[in-house]
Structures are given as C-alpha cells and as structure tokens.
Amino acid sequence: MSSTSPIRVAVTGAAGQIAYSLLFRIASGAMFGPDRPVAFQLLEVPLEKPMQALEGVAMELDDCAFPLLKSITVTSDPAIAFKDANWCLLVGAKPRGPGMERADLLKDNGKIFITQGQVIDQVAAEDARIAVVGNPANTNCMIAASQAKRLPADRFTAMVRLDQNRAQTQLAKKASTDLTAVRDIFIYGNHSPTMFPAFAHATINGQPAPAVINDDAWLKGPFCETVGKRGAAIIAARGASSAASAANALVDHVRDLITPGTIHSVAVKSNGAYGFDPQVWAGLPVRTTTPGSYEVVEGYAMDEFAQAKIAATNAELVEERAAVASML
Ligand code: NAD
Ligand code: LMR
C-alpha cells in the first residue's frame, strides 16, 4: 500500500458514544497524520435503530467535508467491515453502568470478540492491526487474538492509554506543573481498578516523580486509587461512561503505535515480562519499532510495593482468562 492510498479503518460500535468523538478525530487526520487519506468501514449491530443512527453519523461525516476522508462504508456485516482493513478498532460492546465492574461485562461482550476475531483473521489486510477498546478490553483482546490463525498475536492490542493519560494529569496536578513536564508514567496490568500506574519510573521536569511529589503515601494510595477508579467516577458524574477521553486515548494509542521510537502503555500479550502470565494481555510499556510493531520495554526495577501491585493485577487477568476459557 502506498502512503497516499487511503488507509482502511474498520470501526465497530460506530453509532455509539465513543465513535461519535473518534470518527471525526480520525477523519481530521489526528490518528494517521495530516497527509494520510482514510477510508471508513463502519460496523453496527443489524438492528434498525443503531443502523439508522449510523446513517446519521455518516451524513455528518459527509457534511464535515474532511479532505482526508475518501469513502464511508456503513454495514452490519463484519465480513464487509473488516474486508482488507489495515486497522480494526474494536469499540463496539456494552458499557458498564453504575455499580458494575468492567469484568461484569465479560459474559455479554466476550462473545462479540470470538466472531470478530475470526472474521478479521479471514478478511482483513495482510498488515492488519487490531486495537480493542470494548470492555473488559484486555480479556476481549485475548479472546479475539485466540481466534486468529493467520494474524500473529502481537497484532492484537488493547487500550490502557486512557489510564496513562489520567495518571499523567494526576501527577501534574499534584506537582502543580504543566502536564507536558510529566514523562514515563506507564500502566501495568488490567484496565480495571487493579491496574498499576508505576509512579517510581515517572519523571517530572526530568526529576524522579517520587522526589518531586515527596508524598509516598499519596502515590501509593489516592494516586493509584484515583487512576484505577476514574472510569467509575466518570460514570457516577456523567451517568454514562467516558467517551471523548476514550476516543482521544485511542487516537494516542494508534498514533504512537505507528510512530517509531515512542514509548507508551499498551496492553499486549505479555510473554512473561514483569512476571505477568504469558497467556494474558497486560498493560506494559512498549517501544514502537516500525509503524505498527513494537517491543516490550523490559528492565524497569520493581520494588516490593510494585511487585505486589503487579501480582494482584496479574491474578485478576488470570482469573478473567479462566472465566472465558470456553471462548478461547
Ligand atoms: P455505546 O453503548 O455508546 O456504543 C457501543 C456501540 O456498540 C452501540 O452502538 C452498539 O450497538 C454497538 N455494538 C454492540 N455490539 C456490537 C457488535 N457486535 N458489532 C458492532 N457494534 C456493536 O458504548 P461506548 O460508550 O461507545 O463504549 C463502548 C465500549 O468501550 C464499552 O464496552 C465501554 O465500556 C468501553 N470503554 C473502554 C475504555 C477503555 O479505556 N478501554 C474507555 C471507555 C469505554
Ligand atoms: C473508563 O475507564 O472510563 C472505561 O473503561 C469505562 C468504564 O467502564 O470505566
């Protein structure tokens, strides 16, 4: 594919609230760059209401007259949506409501990713990359990857970037500094309250974050808790789960995955790094090597506190894997 031919982007849940922010950002060039045309292949469930809503979204996309948006396909057939897709953005799934944990969605949402994993493997482009947003994202991603015979497991990533962005902002606020001064804050484990934002490796204005913040109790307590439970706080405040910030995080996730040299948090097949079970998809720091490819950044030292946090989030991922064993 030449760099000026449109990149084929399949988006599921395209009439949903995340997609309503996401599609317009992609079409404006925020994800693949200001020179890269895109072709949308938008998937919804085969029901009248969402399909009609999706037609409306497509009309609005038309009405933006985005120079980069070369075509819009609207469908309820995964084989059409994923056909020759270079990126498959799997957003479509039920969001949780108040009082639920993301893992409570596994039974309903998990099965979506069986079919979609199979169809993607059959019809997507040779270079296809898959990013899963639908919750519980890590485990749904594992389910989709488990269906693939052609595409390797490292093509399947899940989003923990929203957690990284949340952590970055919380550190900046605590240090009363601009958030661009905060670097190298990475998320380990599950996109759930057990996730671990590894503050010890973060820097603020080039100095170790713990020295700048000078409040270990806050870092180990309220900081980890605020980041881990931010999704629930937004549901409580908004009456609906995060949407614009989730779409923004997916833009960051994909853009950084196609930008060599970037180090960022992505949930990937762990391969045992940092003690994660090699079968689970865990948030980890990855370095983008070539566009769409990455390596896990190993060697960050983990103290006793960090090891315990990683053990807890790993245990939850292993538990989720056991709960969906019949779907793998
Ligand atoms: P939403 O209910 O507004 O939209 C979801 C859309 O997906 C609906 O239009 C629905 O019809 C569609 N859908 C359901 N099953 C589908 C299928 N099999 N194929 C295609 N489309 C399908 O929900 P939302 O707020 O956009 O959230 C979507 C998902 O993203 C939820 O599971 C939510 O929990 C998750 N989420 C994840 C993160 C993250 O950081 N990983 C952040 C925010 C939300
Ligand atoms: C989030 O983190 O905002 C999303 O995963 C939505 C949720 O259920 O918390």
Side-chain angles (χ1 to χ4, degrees):
M1 187 179 49
S2 92
S3 61
T4 50
S5 60
I7 188 156
R8 295 194 163 277
V9 185
V11 180
T12 72
Q17 50 152 8
I18 292 176
Y20 195 64
S21 285
L22 177 68
L23 295 171
F24 299 84
R25 298 281 308 280
I26 299 174
S28 71
M31 187 176 271
F32 298 105
D35 301 319
R36 192 62 201 266
V38 295
F40 276 150
Q41 304 182 172
L42 308 180
L43 183 70
E44 258 299 340
V45 288
L47 295 174
E48 196 184 332
K49 220 169 150 199
M51 286 310 294
Q52 202 181 336
L54 182 52
E55 294 289 352
V57 173
M59 285 159 69
E60 283 203 74
L61 283 164
D62 277 343
D63 294 350
C64 290
F66 286 119
L68 292 174
L69 184 55
K70 298 305 176 193
S71 64
I72 306 171
T73 302
V74 163
T75 182
S76 59
D77 181 351
I80 294 174
F82 296 127
K83 179 80 182 135
D84 299 327
N86 307 108
W87 275 91
C88 303
L89 308 180
L90 307 188
V91 179
K94 225 164 124 173
R96 66 172 162 156
M100 293 170 76
E101 279 308 335
R102 298 180 187 97
D104 297 333
L105 296 168
L106 251 190
K107 225 168 138 249
D108 284 339
N109 286 347
K111 50 183 185 286
I112 297 173
F113 295 84
I114 302 177
T115 319
Q116 293 189 353
Q118 288 169 354
V119 178
I120 288 168
D121 196 51
Q122 285 158 13
V123 305
E126 205 46 54
D127 68 353
R129 262 70 181 170
I130 297 90
V132 176
V133 173
N135 277 320
N138 300 52
T139 295
N140 288 337
C141 185
M142 176 183 68
I143 293 169
S146 75
Q147 307 302 317
K149 298 186 174 65
R150 175 178 65 111
L151 299 172
D154 64 3
R155 301 286 186 85
F156 292 77
T157 62
M159 189 172 92
V160 289
R161 181 56 178 264
L162 181 52
D163 310 305
Q164 177 184 314
N165 290 350
R166 288 167 171 167
Q168 184 181 0
T169 298
Q170 293 303 317
L171 289 176
K173 280 184 190 252
K174 179 73 173 174
S176 302
T177 187
D178 191 83
L179 70 83
T180 57
V182 179
R183 300 185 63 100
D184 296 344
I185 176 72
F186 302 121
I187 303 296
Y188 291 73
N190 205 1
H191 174 60
S192 84
T194 68
M195 77 183 77
F196 176 47
F199 52 79
H201 311 130
T203 60
I204 301 177
N205 288 311
Q207 303 301 311
V212 176
I213 301 267
N214 196 24
D215 186 347
D216 252 32
W218 179 82
L219 285 168
K220 290 179 175 170
F223 169 65
C224 288
E225 186 147 326
T226 300
V227 177
K229 297 192 173 162
R230 187 68 160 187
I234 287 165
I235 291 169
R238 234 171 67 81
S241 76
S242 64
S245 58
N248 177 67
L250 187 57
V251 169
D252 290 344
H253 173 110
V254 174
R255 190 203 54 231
D256 283 356
L257 271 176
I258 58 174
T259 308
T262 317
I263 303 182
H264 50 122
S265 309
V266 181
V268 299
K269 188 162 193 274
S270 91
N271 291 328
Y274 297 99
F276 281 102
D277 184 298
Q279 298 302 318
V280 301
W281 262 248
L284 286 162
V286 308
R287 181 187 295 103
T288 302
T289 48
T290 56
S293 301
Y294 56 85
E295 61 194 10
V296 173
V297 180
E298 299 200 48
Y300 278 117
M302 296 293 175
D303 64 11
E304 220 175 291
F305 176 80
Q307 284 175 29
K309 294 292 270 182
I310 287 176
T313 194
N314 178 58
E316 185 182 48
L317 286 166
V318 169
E319 214 174 281
E320 286 184 19
R321 182 176 167 87
V324 299
S326 64
M327 300 188 198
L328 303 174

